[in-house]
Amino acid sequence: METNKFCYEYPRPAVTTDCVIFGFDEGELKVLLIERGIEPYKGRWAFPGGFLNMDENSDECARRELFEETGLENVFIEQLYSFSDVDRDPRGRVITISYYALIKLADYKIQAGDDAEKAKWFPISKVPTLAFDHDRILRIAMNRLRGKIRYQPIGFELLNEKFTIPELQNLYEIILEAQLDRRNFRKKILATGLLIDHKESVKGVPHKGARYFSFDKKKYKELSERGFNFEV
Amino acid sequence: METNKFCYEYPRPAVTTDCVIFGFDEGELKVLLIERGIEPYKGRWAFPGGFLNMDENSDECARRELFEETGLENVFIEQLYSFSDVDRDPRGRVITISYYALIKLADYKIQAGDDAEKAKWFPISKVPTLAFDHDRILRIAMNRLRGKIRYQPIGFELLNEKFTIPELQNLYEIILEAQLDRRNFRKKILATGLLIDHKESVKGVPHKGARYFSFDKKKYKELSERGFNFEV
DNA sequence: CCAAAAGTGTTCTTTATACACCCATGT
DNA sequence: ACATGGGTGTATAAAGAACACTTTTGG
C-alpha cells in the first residue's frame, strides 16, 4: 500500500472523535476505557475514539466508534467539546471533537464478549491517569453531565427502561454528589407527570419492593416543543 | 510557490475557526459579519474566521481572527460547537470549531476604520441569509447566549466598564426576549453584591440621570471559586 | 417478630412575583 | 410647570426545605 497519498497546499491536523461512555451499575457511575496496546501511552487507558472518515460528520463518526466498541445503537450521545492543543498527541497534530454517551449498562452486557480490545468499565472514582489529555476530557464530561441532569431528563438514559424511584434518586445523588430528601425527590419527579407507573414492584427483596416506572419520552417531546422545561 | 506540499497517509479535513462576535448598541444586539468577496457564496455575509495554524490551538486561532477583525484583545470568547457536515463547504471537506465573543462596542469603534474587508454590524433581527451553515451557527450562538446570561455574569461583557442598571436591564430584556420588572431586576442584581456603585449619574438627559455601576470582577472570581452561583 | 427499605403529608422558610408613588433633570 | 425616565418598599403567591411515622416483605 502506498503511503502519503493525500496532499494539500497547507498543513492540516488529523481529526478524531473520542467518546466518554457513561454507564451506571451497582450504585456506581462508570466510564468505558480502552487499554492502549501501542505507543504513545502504551499500557495507559483512554477513551475509545478514532479518525474521522471523509464520508461522515463527527456525530456519525462518534456513533460509529460507539457501536464498534459496545455494539449499541440509538443511544444518547452529544458533542462535548473540541480539543486542539498543539502538543496533545506526541505523534503530531491531532484535534479531537469529543462526545459523551449515556448507555444502559444492562443492554451493554448482552452485547459484550468480543474482547478484541481490552475494554473495561471503571467507576469514576477509580479511573487511573489517562492517556493524552483524556483526564481533562473526563473532567469536562463530568461537569456537563452534572449540569445537564438538573434541567434535562437524561438520567433515564442510564437506567433500564423500567426503573424505580429510589434507583433514580440514587443516580442523581451520585452524579450530583449530594444527598436528596426522599419525599421531596419523589414529589418533584412525579410532579413532572412524565413517569408512567407500571403498578408492579420489585420482587424477592427482604423488604417492601419499590414500584417500577418508566419515562414517558413521547409526552416529554410534546411538552418540550411547547416550551416546557424539565427541572430537578 | 509550490502547491500540495503537505502529504498524509489518510485524507484530512481542513480545520477553521469561525467567530460569532456579539455587540450591543442603541438598544440592539448585533453581530459582526463579513461580506464574502469570492466564491463560494460571493456577496453573501458570513462570520469572520480562518484556518487553524499548526502552531496554535483553536482558542488562539479564534482570538487571532478576532483581533485581526476588530483589533480587540482580552475579550470574552468561548468555544461554541464544532461543525463537520460533509457538504458544509462546497470547496471540500472543512470542519469549523466555532466560537462566540462578547465585546464592548464602544471599544470597537475606536479601533475600526481599516476597512480592508467589508465588515458590518447587523442587528440580530436584520441578519440576512448567511453563507455556508452560518445560519445554524448563529442560531446555536443565540441559544448559548440566552442560556448562559441567566447563570453567568456575561452580560457585562457587552456593556461599557461603567453602565447603568436600566441599561443592563435593557440588555437582558433584549437577549431573553422578555419584559422584566424594574424593581425586581434591580433588587436581584444588587443582591448579588457584585455591582460597584460609582455614585455618579448620567448627565445631560431631560430626566433623572441613572447611576453608574461597574461589575466587581475580582469579587466574583473569589466568590465563584467558593462555589457561589451567579443567577438572574 | 425483626430488619430493611419504600411510601406518604404537613409545616415552615425562602424566593419570586406583582404592583404605585415620588424624585431628579432639561426644556 | 411639565414631560421623561430613575429610584424605591411591601404584600402575596409559589417553590423549596425540613421533617417522622407507617407499610411491605423475606428471613
Side-chain angles (χ1 to χ4, degrees):
Chain A
M1 204 222 268
E2 196 187 333
T3 198
N4 294 339
K5 290 177 298 185
F6 300 95
C7 300
Y8 309 102
E9 193 171 347
Y10 296 98
R12 297 181 173 191
V15 177
T16 66
T17 66
D18 288 320
C19 191
V20 182
I21 306 171
F22 287 105
F24 183 73
D25 191 31
E26 295 163 0
E28 284 188 311
L29 185 67
K30 299 178 176 178
V31 287
L32 186 67
L33 297 174
I34 308 289
E35 190 176 19
R36 288 185 56 79
I38 53 165
E39 293 294 345
Y41 297 105
K42 186 175 172 178
R44 291 271 278 280
W45 297 84
F47 294 116
F51 290 92
L52 182 72
N53 291 338
M54 289 302 109
D55 61 351
E56 66 187 2
N57 66 23
S58 59
D59 286 21
E60 289 158 353
C61 180
R63 281 187 189 278
R64 176 173 57 77
E65 298 287 345
L66 179 68
F67 177 74
E68 288 171 5
E69 203 50 56
T70 67
L72 296 177
E73 291 179 278
N74 303 319
V75 303
F76 175 94
I77 186 166
E78 189 174 87
Q79 193 184 116
L80 186 60
Y81 200 78
S82 295
F83 299 88
S84 59
D85 278 354
V86 173
D87 296 320
R88 61 178 296 279
D89 189 320
R91 291 165 297 185
R93 194 70 202 277
V94 180
I95 74 171
T96 193
I97 305 176
S98 68
Y99 283 76
Y100 73 108
L102 306 180
I103 72 158
K104 305 180 198 304
L105 253 176
D107 295 353
Y108 171 81
K109 283 177 174 165
I110 295 162
Q111 302 278 354
D114 55 332
D115 279 357
E117 282 172 304
K118 204 166 168 189
K120 203 180 139 192
W121 288 95
F122 286 78
I124 290 295
S125 62
K126 287 171 188 148
V127 170
T129 301
L130 301 174
F132 306 106
D133 52 1
H134 288 198
D135 290 323
R136 186 178 167 212
I137 295 178
L138 177 57
R139 209 168 51 243
I140 291 177
M142 281 299 301
N143 286 342
R144 175 77 64 92
L145 182 57
R146 257 196 285 273
K148 199 132 194 173
I149 202 174
R150 308 207 56 154
Y151 61 90
Q152 282 202 238
I154 60 173
F156 307 103
E157 305 288 346
L158 288 163
L159 299 176
N160 292 332
E161 207 52 44
K162 291 185 187 180
F163 54 86
T164 68
I165 291 184
E167 270 170 21
L168 184 66
Q169 180 176 347
N170 184 230
L171 172 65
Y172 270 80
E173 289 182 334
I174 281 160
I175 292 177
L176 298 175
E177 289 175 322
Q179 291 295 107
L180 304 174
D181 181 87
R182 202 143 41 94
R183 287 160 289 192
N184 293 340
F185 182 81
R186 169 178 284 265
K187 222 183 303 171
K188 231 174 171 179
I189 208 84
L190 287 176
T192 64
L194 291 171
L195 293 201
I196 298 162
D197 187 345
H198 285 253
K199 315 246 167 162
E200 38 169 333
S201 299
V202 175
K203 303 276 178 226
V205 288
H207 55 263
K208 188 173 180 175
R211 277 214 308 284
Y212 285 114
F213 289 83
S214 59
F215 178 66
D216 195 337
K217 268 195 180 173
K218 209 161 50 177
K219 191 167 176 190
Y220 172 67
K221 212 175 170 187
E222 283 172 25
L223 287 174
S224 61
E225 277 161 9
R226 290 172 205 178
F228 161 86
N229 254 9
F230 179 90
E231 213 165 309
V232 181
Chain B
M1 204 222 267
E2 194 187 333
T3 198
N4 294 339
K5 289 178 299 187
F6 300 95
C7 299
Y8 309 102
E9 193 172 347
Y10 296 97
R12 297 181 173 192
V15 177
T16 65
T17 65
D18 288 320
C19 191
V20 182
I21 306 171
F22 287 106
F24 183 72
D25 191 30
E26 295 163 358
E28 283 188 311
L29 185 67
K30 299 179 175 178
V31 286
L32 186 67
L33 297 174
I34 308 288
E35 189 175 21
R36 289 184 55 79
I38 53 164
E39 293 293 346
Y41 297 105
K42 186 173 173 179
R44 291 272 278 280
W45 297 84
F47 295 116
F51 290 92
L52 181 72
N53 291 338
M54 288 303 109
D55 60 350
E56 66 186 3
N57 66 24
S58 60
D59 286 21
E60 289 158 353
C61 180
R63 280 187 189 280
R64 177 174 55 77
E65 298 288 346
L66 179 68
F67 177 74
E68 288 171 5
E69 203 51 55
T70 67
L72 296 176
E73 292 178 277
N74 303 319
V75 302
F76 175 93
I77 185 166
E78 189 175 88
Q79 193 185 114
L80 186 61
Y81 199 79
S82 296
F83 299 87
S84 59
D85 279 354
V86 173
D87 295 320
R88 62 178 295 280
D89 189 321
R91 291 165 298 186
R93 195 70 203 276
V94 180
I95 74 171
T96 193
I97 304 177
S98 68
Y99 284 75
Y100 72 108
L102 305 180
I103 72 158
K104 305 179 198 305
L105 253 176
D107 296 353
Y108 172 82
K109 283 177 174 165
I110 296 162
Q111 302 280 354
D114 55 331
D115 279 355
E117 283 172 304
K118 202 165 170 190
K120 203 179 142 192
W121 288 96
F122 285 80
I124 290 295
S125 61
K126 287 171 187 148
V127 170
T129 301
L130 301 174
F132 307 106
D133 52 1
H134 288 198
D135 290 324
R136 187 178 166 211
I137 295 179
L138 177 57
R139 209 168 51 243
I140 291 177
M142 280 299 301
N143 287 342
R144 175 75 66 92
L145 181 57
R146 257 195 285 274
K148 199 132 194 173
I149 202 174
R150 306 209 58 155
Y151 61 91
Q152 282 201 240
I154 60 173
F156 308 103
E157 305 289 345
L158 288 162
L159 299 176
N160 291 333
E161 207 52 43
K162 291 184 186 180
F163 54 85
T164 68
I165 292 184
E167 271 170 19
L168 184 66
Q169 180 176 346
N170 184 229
L171 172 64
Y172 271 79
E173 289 182 335
I174 281 160
I175 292 178
L176 298 176
E177 290 175 321
Q179 291 296 107
L180 303 175
D181 181 88
R182 202 145 42 97
R183 287 160 290 192
N184 294 338
F185 182 81
R186 170 177 284 264
K187 223 184 305 173
K188 231 176 172 178
I189 208 86
L190 287 176
T192 63
L194 291 170
L195 293 202
I196 298 163
D197 187 344
H198 285 253
K199 316 249 166 159
E200 40 170 332
S201 299
V202 175
K203 304 273 180 233
V205 286
H207 55 263
K208 188 175 182 177
R211 279 215 306 285
Y212 285 114
F213 290 83
S214 60
F215 178 65
D216 194 337
K217 268 194 180 174
K218 209 159 52 174
K219 191 168 177 189
Y220 172 67
K221 212 175 170 187
E222 282 172 26
L223 287 175
S224 60
E225 276 161 9
R226 291 173 205 176
F228 161 86
N229 254 11
F230 180 90
E231 213 166 309
V232 180

